[in-house]
Amino acid sequence: MSAENDGVPSPDQQQEAPAGSEHLNIKVTDNNNEVFFKIKRGTKLEKLMNAWCERQGKSLTSVRFLFDGSRVQPTDTPDALEMADGDTLEVHQEQVGGAAAL
């Protein structure tokens, strides 16, 4: 009888299985504009970041993306950051320079 249960995922697996194919709606804001993206949980955020920069006419190197106060890397995925539907990425201008040289 144990063969009948082999194909049945445990409750933990049932929660994780749909997550792989599930899409999230992510809001990206720079305090002037809000853009909503629908992205798969396993897709690298680089795709979203590049799309946002193209829409806003900005270079990816001139801005930084933050989620919950931490910098987002292009190789991060929503799953890796434990993002939920409706979460927000903040976009800030990259700070150039620092203290002036004397």
Side-chain angles (χ1 to χ4, degrees):
M1 288 214 169
S2 65
E4 291 176 21
N5 295 332
D6 286 348
V8 178
S10 69
D12 291 341
Q13 289 172 325
Q14 285 179 346
Q15 290 174 357
E16 291 175 6
S21 59
E22 193 175 316
H23 288 79
L24 294 176
N25 291 302
I26 304 296
K27 180 171 79 172
V28 182
T29 181
D30 64 358
N31 293 324
N32 296 320
N33 305 297
E34 288 184 351
V35 182
F36 293 86
F37 291 91
K38 191 171 189 176
I39 187 171
K40 289 183 181 177
R41 293 179 177 271
T43 300
K44 290 182 183 176
L45 289 171
E46 178 178 27
K47 191 172 182 180
L48 177 150
M49 295 159 81
N50 285 328
W52 187 89
C53 287
E54 281 181 28
R55 287 187 189 188
Q56 302 302 321
K58 297 186 189 266
S59 166
L60 188 57
T61 58
S62 70
V63 294
R64 66 183 187 273
F65 290 78
L66 301 178
F67 175 63
D68 283 348
S70 297
R71 189 165 187 161
V72 175
Q73 299 301 320
T75 54
D76 288 335
T77 65
D79 260 354
L81 299 177
E82 299 181 358
M83 296 178 85
D85 192 54
D87 277 347
T88 300
L89 285 179
E90 295 175 15
V91 185
H92 298 276
Q93 284 294 117
E94 189 67 80
Q95 298 296 318
V96 180
L102 298 176

